[in-house]
CSV table of all heavy atoms in Angstrom, one decimal:
chain,number,residue,atom,x,y,z
F,1,MET,N,11.0,-7.2,-0.2
F,1,MET,CA,10.2,-7.2,1.0
F,1,MET,C,9.7,-8.6,1.2
F,1,MET,O,9.2,-9.3,0.3
F,1,MET,CB,9.0,-6.2,0.9
F,1,MET,CG,8.1,-6.2,2.0
F,1,MET,SD,6.8,-5.0,2.1
F,1,MET,CE,6.4,-4.6,0.5
F,2,MET,N,9.7,-9.1,2.4
F,2,MET,CA,9.2,-10.4,2.7
F,2,MET,C,7.6,-10.3,2.6
F,2,MET,O,7.0,-9.3,2.9
F,2,MET,CB,9.6,-10.8,4.2
F,2,MET,CG,11.1,-10.9,4.4
F,2,MET,SD,11.8,-12.3,3.5
F,2,MET,CE,11.1,-13.6,4.5
F,3,ALA,N,7.0,-11.5,2.3
F,3,ALA,CA,5.6,-11.5,2.1
F,3,ALA,C,4.9,-11.1,3.4
F,3,ALA,O,3.9,-10.4,3.4
F,3,ALA,CB,5.2,-12.9,1.7
F,4,ASP,N,5.4,-11.6,4.6
F,4,ASP,CA,4.8,-11.2,5.9
F,4,ASP,C,4.8,-9.7,6.1
F,4,ASP,O,3.8,-9.2,6.6
F,4,ASP,CB,5.5,-11.9,7.0
F,4,ASP,CG,5.2,-13.4,7.0
F,4,ASP,OD1,4.2,-13.9,6.4
F,4,ASP,OD2,5.9,-14.2,7.7
F,5,GLU,N,5.9,-9.1,5.7
F,5,GLU,CA,6.0,-7.6,5.9
F,5,GLU,C,5.0,-6.9,5.0
F,5,GLU,O,4.4,-5.9,5.4
F,5,GLU,CB,7.4,-7.2,5.6
F,5,GLU,CG,8.5,-7.6,6.6
F,5,GLU,CD,9.9,-7.2,6.2
F,5,GLU,OE1,10.0,-6.3,5.4
F,5,GLU,OE2,10.8,-7.9,6.7
F,6,GLY,N,4.9,-7.4,3.8
F,6,GLY,CA,3.9,-6.8,2.9
F,6,GLY,C,2.5,-6.9,3.4
F,6,GLY,O,1.7,-6.0,3.3
F,7,LEU,N,2.1,-8.1,3.9
F,7,LEU,CA,0.8,-8.3,4.4
F,7,LEU,C,0.6,-7.4,5.7
F,7,LEU,O,-0.5,-6.9,5.9
F,7,LEU,CB,0.6,-9.8,4.7
F,7,LEU,CG,0.4,-10.6,3.5
F,7,LEU,CD1,0.3,-12.1,3.9
F,7,LEU,CD2,-1.0,-10.3,2.8
F,8,LYS,N,1.6,-7.3,6.5
F,8,LYS,CA,1.5,-6.5,7.7
F,8,LYS,C,1.2,-5.0,7.3
F,8,LYS,O,0.4,-4.3,7.8
F,8,LYS,CB,2.8,-6.6,8.5
F,8,LYS,CG,2.7,-5.8,9.8
F,8,LYS,CD,4.0,-5.9,10.6
F,8,LYS,CE,4.0,-5.1,11.8
F,8,LYS,NZ,5.2,-5.2,12.6
F,9,LEU,N,2.0,-4.5,6.3
F,9,LEU,CA,1.8,-3.1,5.8
F,9,LEU,C,0.4,-3.0,5.2
F,9,LEU,O,-0.3,-2.0,5.5
F,9,LEU,CB,2.9,-2.8,4.8
F,9,LEU,CG,2.8,-1.4,4.1
F,9,LEU,CD1,2.8,-0.3,5.1
F,9,LEU,CD2,3.8,-1.3,3.1
F,10,LEU,N,0.0,-3.9,4.5
F,10,LEU,CA,-1.3,-3.9,3.8
F,10,LEU,C,-2.4,-3.8,4.9
F,10,LEU,O,-3.4,-3.0,4.8
F,10,LEU,CB,-1.5,-5.1,2.9
F,10,LEU,CG,-2.9,-5.2,2.2
F,10,LEU,CD1,-3.1,-4.0,1.2
F,10,LEU,CD2,-3.0,-6.5,1.5
F,11,ARG,N,-2.3,-4.7,5.9
F,11,ARG,CA,-3.3,-4.7,7.0
F,11,ARG,C,-3.3,-3.4,7.8
F,11,ARG,O,-4.4,-2.9,8.2
F,11,ARG,CB,-3.1,-5.9,7.9
F,11,ARG,CG,-3.4,-7.2,7.3
F,11,ARG,CD,-3.6,-8.4,8.2
F,11,ARG,NE,-2.9,-8.3,9.5
F,11,ARG,CZ,-1.7,-9.0,9.8
F,11,ARG,NH1,-1.1,-9.7,8.9
F,11,ARG,NH2,-1.2,-8.9,10.9
F,12,GLN,N,-2.2,-2.7,7.9
F,12,GLN,CA,-2.1,-1.4,8.6
F,12,GLN,C,-2.8,-0.4,7.8
F,12,GLN,O,-3.5,0.5,8.3
F,12,GLN,CB,-0.6,-1.0,8.8
F,12,GLN,CG,0.1,-1.8,9.9
F,12,GLN,CD,1.6,-1.5,9.9
F,12,GLN,OE1,2.1,-0.8,9.0
F,12,GLN,NE2,2.2,-2.0,11.0
F,13,ILE,N,-2.6,-0.4,6.5
F,13,ILE,CA,-3.3,0.6,5.6
F,13,ILE,C,-4.8,0.3,5.6
F,13,ILE,O,-5.6,1.3,5.7
F,13,ILE,CB,-2.7,0.5,4.2
F,13,ILE,CG1,-1.2,0.9,4.2
F,13,ILE,CG2,-3.5,1.4,3.2
F,13,ILE,CD1,-0.5,0.6,2.8
F,14,VAL,N,-5.2,-0.9,5.5
F,14,VAL,CA,-6.7,-1.2,5.6
F,14,VAL,C,-7.3,-0.7,6.9
F,14,VAL,O,-8.3,-0.1,6.9
F,14,VAL,CB,-6.9,-2.7,5.4
F,14,VAL,CG1,-8.4,-3.1,5.7
F,14,VAL,CG2,-6.6,-3.2,4.0
F,15,ALA,N,-6.6,-1.0,8.0
F,15,ALA,CA,-7.1,-0.6,9.3
F,15,ALA,C,-7.1,1.0,9.5
F,15,ALA,O,-8.0,1.5,10.2
F,15,ALA,CB,-6.2,-1.1,10.4
F,16,ALA,N,-6.3,1.7,8.7
F,16,ALA,CA,-6.3,3.1,8.8
F,16,ALA,C,-7.3,3.8,7.8
F,16,ALA,O,-7.2,5.0,7.5
F,16,ALA,CB,-4.9,3.6,8.5
F,17,GLY,N,-8.2,3.0,7.2
F,17,GLY,CA,-9.2,3.5,6.3
F,17,GLY,C,-9.0,3.2,4.8
F,17,GLY,O,-9.7,3.6,4.0
F,18,GLY,N,-7.9,2.4,4.5
F,18,GLY,CA,-7.7,2.0,3.2
F,18,GLY,C,-6.9,2.9,2.3
F,18,GLY,O,-6.8,2.7,1.1
F,19,ARG,N,-6.3,3.9,2.9
F,19,ARG,CA,-5.5,4.9,2.2
F,19,ARG,C,-4.2,5.2,2.9
F,19,ARG,O,-4.2,5.3,4.1
F,19,ARG,CB,-6.3,6.2,1.9
F,19,ARG,CG,-7.5,6.0,1.1
F,19,ARG,CD,-8.2,7.3,1.0
F,19,ARG,NE,-9.4,7.1,0.2
F,19,ARG,CZ,-10.0,8.0,-0.6
F,19,ARG,NH1,-9.4,9.2,-0.7
F,19,ARG,NH2,-11.0,7.7,-1.3
F,20,LYS,N,-3.1,5.4,2.2
F,20,LYS,CA,-1.9,5.9,2.7
F,20,LYS,C,-1.3,7.0,1.9
F,20,LYS,O,-1.1,6.8,0.7
F,20,LYS,CB,-0.9,4.7,2.8
F,20,LYS,CG,0.5,5.0,3.2
F,20,LYS,CD,0.5,5.5,4.7
F,20,LYS,CE,2.0,5.8,5.1
F,20,LYS,NZ,2.0,6.3,6.4
F,21,TYR,N,-1.1,8.1,2.5
F,21,TYR,CA,-0.5,9.3,1.8
F,21,TYR,C,0.9,9.4,2.1
F,21,TYR,O,1.4,9.3,3.2
F,21,TYR,CB,-1.2,10.6,2.3
F,21,TYR,CG,-0.9,11.8,1.5
F,21,TYR,CD1,-1.5,12.1,0.3
F,21,TYR,CD2,0.1,12.7,2.0
F,21,TYR,CE1,-1.2,13.2,-0.4
F,21,TYR,CE2,0.4,13.8,1.2
F,21,TYR,CZ,-0.2,14.1,0.1
F,21,TYR,OH,0.1,15.2,-0.7
F,22,THR,N,1.7,9.4,1.0
F,22,THR,CA,3.2,9.6,1.2
F,22,THR,C,3.6,10.9,0.6
F,22,THR,O,3.1,11.3,-0.5
F,22,THR,CB,3.9,8.4,0.5
F,22,THR,OG1,3.6,8.4,-0.9
F,22,THR,CG2,3.6,7.1,1.1
F,23,ALA,N,4.4,11.6,1.3
F,23,ALA,CA,4.9,13.0,0.8
F,23,ALA,C,6.4,13.1,0.7
F,23,ALA,O,7.1,12.5,1.5
F,23,ALA,CB,4.3,14.0,1.8
F,24,GLY,N,6.8,13.8,-0.3
F,24,GLY,CA,8.2,14.1,-0.4
F,24,GLY,C,9.0,13.0,-1.1
F,24,GLY,O,8.5,12.0,-1.6
F,25,ASN,N,10.3,13.1,-1.0
F,25,ASN,CA,11.3,12.2,-1.6
F,25,ASN,C,11.6,11.1,-0.7
F,25,ASN,O,12.6,11.1,0.1
F,25,ASN,CB,12.5,13.0,-2.0
F,25,ASN,CG,13.5,12.2,-2.8
F,25,ASN,OD1,13.1,11.2,-3.4
F,25,ASN,ND2,14.7,12.6,-2.8
F,26,ILE,N,10.7,10.1,-0.6
F,26,ILE,CA,10.9,8.9,0.2
F,26,ILE,C,11.0,7.6,-0.6
F,26,ILE,O,10.7,7.6,-1.8
F,26,ILE,CB,9.8,8.8,1.3
F,26,ILE,CG1,8.4,8.5,0.5
F,26,ILE,CG2,9.6,10.0,2.1
F,26,ILE,CD1,7.4,8.0,1.4
F,27,ASP,N,11.5,6.6,0.0
F,27,ASP,CA,11.6,5.3,-0.6
F,27,ASP,C,10.3,4.6,-0.6
F,27,ASP,O,9.7,4.3,0.4
F,27,ASP,CB,12.6,4.4,0.1
F,27,ASP,CG,12.9,3.1,-0.5
F,27,ASP,OD1,12.3,2.8,-1.6
F,27,ASP,OD2,13.7,2.3,0.0
F,28,ARG,N,9.7,4.5,-1.8
F,28,ARG,CA,8.3,3.9,-1.9
F,28,ARG,C,8.4,2.5,-2.4
F,28,ARG,O,7.3,1.9,-2.8
F,28,ARG,CB,7.5,4.8,-2.9
F,28,ARG,CG,7.2,6.1,-2.3
F,28,ARG,CD,6.3,6.9,-3.2
F,28,ARG,NE,5.9,8.2,-2.6
F,28,ARG,CZ,6.5,9.3,-2.7
F,28,ARG,NH1,7.6,9.4,-3.5
F,28,ARG,NH2,6.1,10.4,-2.1
F,29,ARG,N,9.5,1.8,-2.4
F,29,ARG,CA,9.6,0.4,-2.9
F,29,ARG,C,8.6,-0.5,-2.3
F,29,ARG,O,8.0,-1.4,-3.0
F,29,ARG,CB,11.0,-0.1,-2.8
F,29,ARG,CG,12.0,0.5,-3.8
F,29,ARG,CD,13.3,-0.1,-3.7
F,29,ARG,NE,13.9,0.5,-2.5
F,29,ARG,CZ,15.2,0.4,-2.2
F,29,ARG,NH1,16.0,-0.4,-2.9
F,29,ARG,NH2,15.7,1.0,-1.1
F,30,ARG,N,8.4,-0.4,-1.0
F,30,ARG,CA,7.5,-1.4,-0.3
F,30,ARG,C,6.1,-1.2,-0.8
F,30,ARG,O,5.3,-2.1,-0.9
F,30,ARG,CB,7.7,-1.3,1.2
F,30,ARG,CG,7.3,0.0,1.8
F,30,ARG,CD,7.7,0.0,3.3
F,30,ARG,NE,7.2,1.2,3.9
F,30,ARG,CZ,6.8,1.2,5.2
F,30,ARG,NH1,7.0,0.2,5.9
F,30,ARG,NH2,6.4,2.3,5.7
F,31,TYR,N,5.7,0.1,-1.1
F,31,TYR,CA,4.4,0.3,-1.6
F,31,TYR,C,4.3,-0.1,-3.0
F,31,TYR,O,3.2,-0.7,-3.4
F,31,TYR,CB,4.0,1.8,-1.5
F,31,TYR,CG,4.0,2.3,-0.1
F,31,TYR,CD1,5.1,3.2,0.4
F,31,TYR,CD2,3.0,2.0,0.8
F,31,TYR,CE1,5.1,3.6,1.7
F,31,TYR,CE2,3.1,2.5,2.1
F,31,TYR,CZ,4.1,3.3,2.5
F,31,TYR,OH,4.2,3.7,3.8
F,32,ASP,N,5.3,0.1,-3.8
F,32,ASP,CA,5.3,-0.3,-5.2
F,32,ASP,C,5.2,-1.8,-5.4
F,32,ASP,O,4.6,-2.3,-6.3
F,32,ASP,CB,6.6,0.2,-5.9
F,32,ASP,CG,6.6,1.7,-6.0
F,32,ASP,OD1,5.5,2.4,-6.0
F,32,ASP,OD2,7.7,2.3,-6.2
F,33,GLN,N,5.8,-2.5,-4.4
F,33,GLN,CA,5.6,-4.0,-4.5
F,33,GLN,C,4.2,-4.4,-4.3
F,33,GLN,O,3.7,-5.4,-4.9
F,33,GLN,CB,6.6,-4.7,-3.4
F,33,GLN,CG,8.0,-4.5,-3.8
F,33,GLN,CD,8.9,-5.0,-2.7
F,33,GLN,OE1,8.5,-5.3,-1.6
F,33,GLN,NE2,10.2,-5.2,-3.1
F,34,LEU,N,3.5,-3.7,-3.4
F,34,LEU,CA,2.1,-4.0,-3.2
F,34,LEU,C,1.2,-3.6,-4.4
F,34,LEU,O,0.2,-4.2,-4.7
F,34,LEU,CB,1.5,-3.3,-1.9
F,34,LEU,CG,2.2,-3.8,-0.6
F,34,LEU,CD1,1.6,-3.1,0.6
F,34,LEU,CD2,2.1,-5.3,-0.4
F,35,VAL,N,1.7,-2.5,-5.1
F,35,VAL,CA,1.0,-2.1,-6.4
F,35,VAL,C,1.2,-3.2,-7.4
F,35,VAL,O,0.3,-3.6,-8.1
F,35,VAL,CB,1.6,-0.8,-6.9
F,35,VAL,CG1,1.1,-0.5,-8.3
F,35,VAL,CG2,1.2,0.4,-5.9
F,36,ASP,N,2.4,-3.8,-7.5
F,36,ASP,CA,2.7,-4.8,-8.4
F,36,ASP,C,1.9,-6.1,-8.2
F,36,ASP,O,1.5,-6.8,-9.1
F,36,ASP,CB,4.2,-5.2,-8.4
F,36,ASP,CG,5.1,-4.1,-8.9
F,36,ASP,OD1,4.6,-3.2,-9.6
F,36,ASP,OD2,6.3,-4.2,-8.7
F,37,LEU,N,1.5,-6.3,-6.9
F,37,LEU,CA,0.7,-7.5,-6.6
F,37,LEU,C,-0.8,-7.2,-6.8
F,37,LEU,O,-1.7,-8.1,-6.7
F,37,LEU,CB,0.8,-7.8,-5.1
F,37,LEU,CG,2.2,-8.4,-4.7
F,37,LEU,CD1,2.3,-8.5,-3.2
F,37,LEU,CD2,2.3,-9.8,-5.4
F,38,GLY,N,-1.1,-5.9,-7.2
F,38,GLY,CA,-2.5,-5.6,-7.4
F,38,GLY,C,-3.3,-5.2,-6.1
F,38,GLY,O,-4.5,-5.2,-6.1
F,39,TRP,N,-2.6,-5.0,-5.0
F,39,TRP,CA,-3.2,-4.8,-3.7
F,39,TRP,C,-3.4,-3.3,-3.4
F,39,TRP,O,-4.2,-2.9,-2.6
F,39,TRP,CB,-2.4,-5.4,-2.6
F,39,TRP,CG,-2.3,-6.9,-2.6
F,39,TRP,CD1,-3.1,-7.7,-3.5
F,39,TRP,CD2,-1.5,-7.8,-1.9
F,39,TRP,NE1,-2.8,-9.0,-3.2
F,39,TRP,CE2,-1.8,-9.1,-2.2
F,39,TRP,CE3,-0.6,-7.6,-0.9
F,39,TRP,CZ2,-1.2,-10.2,-1.7
F,39,TRP,CZ3,0.0,-8.6,-0.3
F,39,TRP,CH2,-0.3,-10.0,-0.7
F,40,LEU,N,-2.6,-2.4,-4.1
F,40,LEU,CA,-2.7,-1.0,-3.9
F,40,LEU,C,-2.8,-0.3,-5.3
F,40,LEU,O,-2.2,-0.9,-6.3
F,40,LEU,CB,-1.5,-0.4,-3.2
F,40,LEU,CG,-1.3,-0.8,-1.7
F,40,LEU,CD1,0.0,-0.1,-1.2
F,40,LEU,CD2,-2.5,-0.4,-0.9
F,41,THR,N,-3.4,0.8,-5.3
F,41,THR,CA,-3.5,1.6,-6.5
F,41,THR,C,-2.9,3.0,-6.2
F,41,THR,O,-3.3,3.6,-5.2
F,41,THR,CB,-4.9,1.9,-7.1
F,41,THR,OG1,-5.5,0.6,-7.3
F,41,THR,CG2,-4.9,2.7,-8.3
F,42,PRO,N,-1.8,3.5,-6.9
F,42,PRO,CA,-1.2,4.8,-6.6
F,42,PRO,C,-1.9,5.9,-7.4
F,42,PRO,O,-2.4,5.7,-8.5
F,42,PRO,CB,0.2,4.6,-7.1
F,42,PRO,CG,0.1,3.6,-8.3
F,42,PRO,CD,-1.1,2.7,-7.9
F,43,PHE,N,-2.0,7.0,-6.7
F,43,PHE,CA,-2.6,8.2,-7.3
F,43,PHE,C,-1.6,9.4,-7.0
F,43,PHE,O,-1.4,9.7,-5.8
F,43,PHE,CB,-4.0,8.6,-6.8
F,43,PHE,CG,-5.0,7.5,-7.1
F,43,PHE,CD1,-5.3,6.5,-6.2
F,43,PHE,CD2,-5.7,7.6,-8.3
F,43,PHE,CE1,-6.3,5.6,-6.5
F,43,PHE,CE2,-6.6,6.6,-8.6
F,43,PHE,CZ,-6.9,5.6,-7.7
F,44,LYS,N,-1.0,10.0,-8.0
F,44,LYS,CA,-0.2,11.1,-7.8
F,44,LYS,C,-1.0,12.3,-7.4
F,44,LYS,O,-1.9,12.7,-8.2
F,44,LYS,CB,0.7,11.4,-9.0
F,44,LYS,CG,1.9,10.6,-9.2
F,44,LYS,CD,2.8,11.2,-10.2
F,44,LYS,CE,4.2,10.5,-9.9
F,44,LYS,NZ,5.2,11.4,-10.1
F,45,THR,N,-0.7,12.9,-6.3
F,45,THR,CA,-1.5,14.1,-5.9
F,45,THR,C,-0.8,15.4,-6.3
F,45,THR,O,-1.4,16.4,-6.5
F,45,THR,CB,-1.7,14.1,-4.4
F,45,THR,OG1,-0.5,14.1,-3.7
F,45,THR,CG2,-2.6,13.0,-4.0
F,46,ASN,N,0.6,15.3,-6.5
F,46,ASN,CA,1.4,16.4,-7.1
F,46,ASN,C,2.7,15.8,-7.4
F,46,ASN,O,2.9,14.6,-7.4
F,46,ASN,CB,1.5,17.6,-6.1
F,46,ASN,CG,2.2,17.3,-4.8
F,46,ASN,OD1,3.2,16.6,-4.8
F,46,ASN,ND2,1.7,17.8,-3.7
F,47,VAL,N,3.7,16.6,-7.7
F,47,VAL,CA,5.0,16.1,-8.2
F,47,VAL,C,5.7,15.1,-7.3
F,47,VAL,O,6.3,14.1,-7.7
F,47,VAL,CB,5.9,17.3,-8.6
F,47,VAL,CG1,7.3,16.8,-8.9
F,47,VAL,CG2,5.3,18.1,-9.6
F,48,SER,N,5.6,15.4,-6.0
F,48,SER,CA,6.4,14.6,-5.0
F,48,SER,C,5.5,13.7,-4.1
F,48,SER,O,6.1,13.0,-3.2
F,48,SER,CB,7.3,15.5,-4.2
F,48,SER,OG,6.5,16.3,-3.4
F,49,ASP,N,4.2,13.8,-4.2
F,49,ASP,CA,3.3,13.1,-3.3
F,49,ASP,C,2.5,12.0,-4.0
F,49,ASP,O,2.0,12.3,-5.1
F,49,ASP,CB,2.4,14.0,-2.5
F,49,ASP,CG,3.2,15.1,-1.7
F,49,ASP,OD1,4.4,15.0,-1.6
F,49,ASP,OD2,2.5,16.0,-1.2
F,50,ILE,N,2.3,10.9,-3.3
F,50,ILE,CA,1.4,9.8,-3.9
F,50,ILE,C,0.5,9.3,-2.8
F,50,ILE,O,0.9,9.1,-1.6
F,50,ILE,CB,2.3,8.6,-4.4
F,50,ILE,CG1,3.2,9.1,-5.5
F,50,ILE,CG2,1.4,7.5,-4.9
F,50,ILE,CD1,4.1,8.0,-6.1
F,51,GLU,N,-0.8,9.1,-3.1
F,51,GLU,CA,-1.7,8.5,-2.2
F,51,GLU,C,-2.0,7.1,-2.8
F,51,GLU,O,-2.3,6.9,-3.9
F,51,GLU,CB,-3.0,9.3,-2.1
F,51,GLU,CG,-4.0,8.6,-1.2
F,51,GLU,CD,-5.3,9.3,-1.0
F,51,GLU,OE1,-5.2,10.5,-0.6
F,51,GLU,OE2,-6.3,8.8,-1.4
F,52,TYR,N,-1.8,6.1,-1.9
F,52,TYR,CA,-2.1,4.7,-2.2
F,52,TYR,C,-3.5,4.3,-1.7
F,52,TYR,O,-3.8,4.6,-0.5
F,52,TYR,CB,-1.0,3.8,-1.7
F,52,TYR,CG,0.3,4.0,-2.3
F,52,TYR,CD1,1.2,4.9,-1.7
F,52,TYR,CD2,0.7,3.4,-3.4
F,52,TYR,CE1,2.5,5.1,-2.2
F,52,TYR,CE2,2.0,3.6,-4.0
F,52,TYR,CZ,2.8,4.5,-3.4
F,52,TYR,OH,4.1,4.8,-3.9
F,53,GLN,N,-4.3,3.6,-2.5
F,53,GLN,CA,-5.6,3.1,-2.0
F,53,GLN,C,-5.6,1.6,-2.2
F,53,GLN,O,-5.1,1.1,-3.2
F,53,GLN,CB,-6.7,3.8,-2.8
F,53,GLN,CG,-6.8,5.3,-2.6
F,53,GLN,CD,-7.9,5.9,-3.3
F,53,GLN,OE1,-8.7,5.3,-3.9
F,53,GLN,NE2,-7.9,7.3,-3.3
F,54,VAL,N,-6.2,1.0,-1.2
F,54,VAL,CA,-6.3,-0.5,-1.2
F,54,VAL,C,-7.3,-0.9,-2.2
F,54,VAL,O,-8.4,-0.3,-2.3
F,54,VAL,CB,-6.6,-1.0,0.2
F,54,VAL,CG1,-6.8,-2.5,0.2
F,54,VAL,CG2,-5.6,-0.6,1.2
F,55,THR,N,-7.0,-1.9,-3.0
F,55,THR,CA,-7.9,-2.4,-4.0
F,55,THR,C,-8.8,-3.5,-3.4
F,55,THR,O,-8.5,-4.0,-2.2
F,55,THR,CB,-7.2,-3.1,-5.2
F,55,THR,OG1,-6.4,-4.2,-4.7
F,55,THR,CG2,-6.3,-2.0,-5.9
F,56,GLU,N,-9.8,-4.0,-4.1
F,56,GLU,CA,-10.6,-5.1,-3.6
F,56,GLU,C,-9.7,-6.4,-3.4
F,56,GLU,O,-9.9,-7.1,-2.4
F,56,GLU,CB,-11.8,-5.4,-4.5
F,56,GLU,CG,-12.9,-4.3,-4.5
F,56,GLU,CD,-13.4,-4.1,-3.1
F,56,GLU,OE1,-13.7,-5.1,-2.4
F,56,GLU,OE2,-13.6,-3.0,-2.7
F,57,LYS,N,-8.8,-6.6,-4.3
F,57,LYS,CA,-7.9,-7.7,-4.2
F,57,LYS,C,-7.0,-7.6,-2.9
F,57,LYS,O,-6.8,-8.5,-2.2
F,57,LYS,CB,-7.0,-7.8,-5.4
F,57,LYS,CG,-6.1,-8.9,-5.5
F,57,LYS,CD,-5.3,-8.9,-6.8
F,57,LYS,CE,-4.3,-10.1,-6.9
F,57,LYS,NZ,-3.5,-10.1,-8.1
F,58,GLY,N,-6.6,-6.3,-2.6
F,58,GLY,CA,-5.9,-6.1,-1.4
F,58,GLY,C,-6.7,-6.3,-0.2
F,58,GLY,O,-6.2,-6.9,0.8
F,59,ARG,N,-7.9,-5.9,-0.2
F,59,ARG,CA,-8.8,-6.1,1.0
F,59,ARG,C,-9.0,-7.6,1.2
F,59,ARG,O,-9.0,-8.1,2.4
F,59,ARG,CB,-10.1,-5.4,0.8
F,59,ARG,CG,-10.0,-3.9,1.0
F,59,ARG,CD,-11.4,-3.3,1.0
F,59,ARG,NE,-11.3,-1.8,0.9
F,59,ARG,CZ,-11.0,-1.1,1.9
F,59,ARG,NH1,-10.8,-1.6,3.1
F,59,ARG,NH2,-10.9,0.2,1.8
F,60,ALA,N,-9.1,-8.4,0.1
F,60,ALA,CA,-9.3,-9.8,0.3
F,60,ALA,C,-8.0,-10.5,0.8
F,60,ALA,O,-8.1,-11.3,1.7
F,60,ALA,CB,-9.7,-10.4,-1.1
F,61,ALA,N,-6.9,-10.0,0.4
F,61,ALA,CA,-5.6,-10.5,0.9
F,61,ALA,C,-5.4,-10.2,2.4
F,61,ALA,O,-5.0,-11.0,3.2
F,61,ALA,CB,-4.4,-10.0,0.1
F,62,ALA,N,-5.8,-9.0,2.8
F,62,ALA,CA,-5.7,-8.6,4.2
F,62,ALA,C,-6.7,-9.4,5.0
F,62,ALA,O,-6.3,-9.8,6.1
F,62,ALA,CB,-6.0,-7.1,4.3
F,63,ASP,N,-7.9,-9.7,4.5
F,63,ASP,CA,-8.8,-10.5,5.3
F,63,ASP,C,-8.3,-11.9,5.5
F,63,ASP,O,-8.4,-12.5,6.6
F,63,ASP,CB,-10.2,-10.5,4.6
F,63,ASP,CG,-10.9,-9.2,4.7
F,63,ASP,OD1,-10.6,-8.4,5.5
F,63,ASP,OD2,-11.9,-9.0,3.9
F,64,ILE,N,-7.8,-12.5,4.4
F,64,ILE,CA,-7.2,-13.9,4.5
F,64,ILE,C,-6.0,-13.9,5.5
F,64,ILE,O,-5.9,-14.8,6.3
F,64,ILE,CB,-6.8,-14.4,3.1
F,64,ILE,CG1,-8.0,-14.6,2.3
F,64,ILE,CG2,-6.0,-15.6,3.2
F,64,ILE,CD1,-7.7,-14.9,0.8
F,65,ALA,N,-5.2,-12.9,5.4
F,65,ALA,CA,-4.0,-12.8,6.3
F,65,ALA,C,-4.4,-12.7,7.8
F,65,ALA,O,-3.7,-13.1,8.7
F,65,ALA,CB,-3.1,-11.7,5.9
F,66,ALA,N,-5.5,-12.0,8.0
F,66,ALA,CA,-6.0,-11.8,9.4
F,66,ALA,C,-6.6,-13.0,10.1
F,66,ALA,O,-6.7,-13.1,11.3
F,66,ALA,CB,-7.0,-10.7,9.4
F,67,GLN,N,-6.9,-14.0,9.3
F,67,GLN,CA,-7.5,-15.2,9.8
F,67,GLN,C,-6.5,-16.2,10.4
F,67,GLN,O,-5.4,-16.2,10.2
F,67,GLN,CB,-8.3,-16.0,8.7
F,67,GLN,CG,-9.5,-15.1,8.2
F,67,GLN,CD,-10.2,-15.8,7.1
F,67,GLN,OE1,-9.9,-16.9,6.7
F,67,GLN,NE2,-11.2,-15.1,6.6
């Protein structure tokens, strides 16, 4: 994922309240890349669903990108 795409996704999640719920068997690579950067934290809600929450580091990155 390009850095700009990652920041765009991050800013969308922040604007939606800082959480993104993913359900089912979907490709989560773009979210996992943000987890690797320390910008999101994943929480398994059940076997096939994950909720991602923006970290403080992620909020700071989104704020810097918005400027």
Side-chain angles (χ1 to χ4, degrees):
M1 174 172 34
M2 300 290 291
D4 289 342
E5 292 175 21
L7 286 171
K8 181 178 177 183
L9 176 60
L10 180 65
R11 289 194 336 256
Q12 290 172 347
I13 296 170
V14 169
R19 295 176 182 214
K20 174 66 178 175
Y21 188 82
T22 61
N25 186 20
I26 64 165
D27 183 0
R28 293 186 173 91
R29 283 181 285 190
R30 61 189 190 151
Y31 300 107
D32 292 339
Q33 289 174 346
L34 298 180
V35 169
D36 291 343
L37 291 170
W39 294 352
L40 295 178
T41 301
F43 295 95
K44 279 196 161 218
T45 57
N46 62 42
V47 174
S48 63
D49 300 352
I50 299 175
E51 180 179 299
Y52 295 92
Q53 294 181 9
V54 178
T55 64
E56 289 303 314
K57 183 177 178 181
R59 288 188 189 280
D63 287 344
I64 290 169
Q67 296 177 1

